Amino acid sequence: MQNFESDQGGAVAPGVHGFEVAVTTAKGETFAGTLVDLHIEDAEASFPRENSPALPLGLTTTLNFMAPWLRTPIEVAANVVSRVESGTSRIYRYRLKFDSDELQKRLTREANRVRNQRTANRVKPASGASVAVTIKSPEAKGASESLAEASGDVSETGCLKDISTGGVGVFLSRKAESVFAETELVEISFELPPSSGPLTLIGWIRHRRLKGNRMSYGIEFDTELSDNFAPQLDRIIQYIVRCQEQEEVTAQG
């Protein structure tokens, strides 16, 4: 059986990319399971006793692959080709065959996006050049004053930790997590010196860490949801280049 290979030759294995999986039947029933194995033509998934679907062989289902690095879940049609019932706990383990081209293209595209983001030049603001950053939930935009008061603080202000063409790292106060604990999509506003007006982009919180008395958030820009992304990206690139030039001068001096 041929393993799914990315364009870098690495096989996709359980736990490597942190996939979660769920199967949805034609009746609309969805069952969350554990991805056991993933190949170019099929996948194996197990389901605990309390959520074990009795899927007949030959049934066409929809497999949903989810992971933090995916913008949206991957959905592929899959046929049930085998089922193993193991142990007294009655855990079902299924093998489901799917359209390999559909899955491969999507996984490769997403893997490229993540790899490009991780390898993007990332710079920190020059020493002493603090950059203020405000993040808030996009849903809060245009909210009435009474709604804002009822929902508590809808925005937090902190400082820029680092920036790349793919996203930003920001430091916020520790209390920010009480505001954004269940939030993934945020609006980010900041000005890069020399300022020519604020940048406002939409992004996804991809990681968060508690460091001492403040929070560190890693936010990935959403190029489609952010208005006027291209000209704002140009300004970010110019800022990155200036920071890199300053670093070179400092290193040579």
Side-chain angles (χ1 to χ4, degrees):
M1 184 179 293
Q2 182 184 9
N3 283 336
F4 172 82
E5 299 285 337
S6 72
D7 58 350
Q8 297 298 303
V12 174
V16 173
H17 292 299
F19 279 117
E20 296 178 5
V21 69
V23 62
T24 301
T25 68
K27 295 181 180 180
E29 300 172 304
T30 298
F31 302 89
T34 300
L35 184 65
V36 177
D37 207 355
L38 177 61
H39 302 276
I40 196 168
E41 69 274 7
D42 61 23
E44 291 189 37
S46 64
F47 299 84
R49 179 180 181 181
E50 63 272 15
N51 194 33
S52 291
L55 304 176
L57 300 190
L59 180 71
T60 298
T61 66
T62 299
L63 266 184
N64 302 275
F65 293 93
M66 296 152 285
W69 51 273
L70 291 174
R71 295 186 179 189
T72 57
I74 296 175
E75 296 184 358
V76 291
N79 293 320
V80 181
V81 295
S82 72
R83 184 179 81 194
V84 175
E85 186 176 336
S86 61
T88 56
S89 60
R90 297 188 58 172
I91 294 177
Y92 284 151
R93 176 168 167 164
Y94 289 97
R95 187 160 70 92
L96 301 105
K97 190 175 181 64
F98 43 71
D99 182 343
S100 60
D101 288 341
E102 180 182 357
L103 181 66
Q104 184 176 16
K105 289 177 182 177
R106 177 71 188 276
L107 283 176
T108 300
R109 187 163 59 248
E110 292 286 353
N112 284 336
R113 180 184 63 81
V114 172
R115 182 170 58 255
N116 290 338
Q117 179 190 339
R118 288 176 176 171
T119 57
N121 289 325
R122 184 173 293 273
V123 299
K124 297 179 180 180
S127 178
S130 179
V131 177
V133 179
T134 299
I135 68 172
K136 62 181 180 179
S137 170
E139 290 79 11
K141 291 192 299 182
S144 67
E145 202 170 302
S146 59
L147 177 61
E149 291 175 355
S151 60
D153 292 335
V154 294
S155 68
E156 289 288 329
T157 300
C159 62
L160 188 71
K161 174 187 174 185
D162 51 45
I163 186 169
S164 75
T165 55
V168 293
V170 300
F171 284 127
L172 297 172
S173 67
R174 187 169 182 168
K175 71 172 185 176
E177 186 63 3
S178 64
V179 179
F180 297 110
E182 298 182 7
T183 300
E184 296 181 354
L185 188 66
V186 294
E187 179 188 276
I188 322 114
S189 298
F190 53 93
E191 293 189 26
L192 296 175
S195 176
S196 58
L199 296 168
T200 301
L201 301 112
I202 303 297
W204 297 88
I205 299 177
R206 293 307 189 190
H207 64 77
R208 58 188 81 201
R209 296 183 180 89
L210 181 61
K211 293 191 174 184
N213 62 351
R214 60 182 180 176
M215 292 295 304
S216 172
Y217 287 124
I219 302 173
E220 175 194 359
F221 299 140
D222 191 305
T223 60
E224 296 179 359
L225 294 181
S226 299
D227 293 336
N228 301 314
F229 181 77
Q232 297 193 90
L233 178 61
D234 287 340
R235 290 172 57 189
I236 291 172
I237 292 173
Q238 292 170 11
Y239 177 76
I240 290 174
V241 170
R242 285 196 299 271
C243 288
Q244 290 173 332
E245 291 174 345
Q246 291 175 5
E247 289 176 0
E248 290 177 2
V249 171
T250 302
Q252 293 173 358

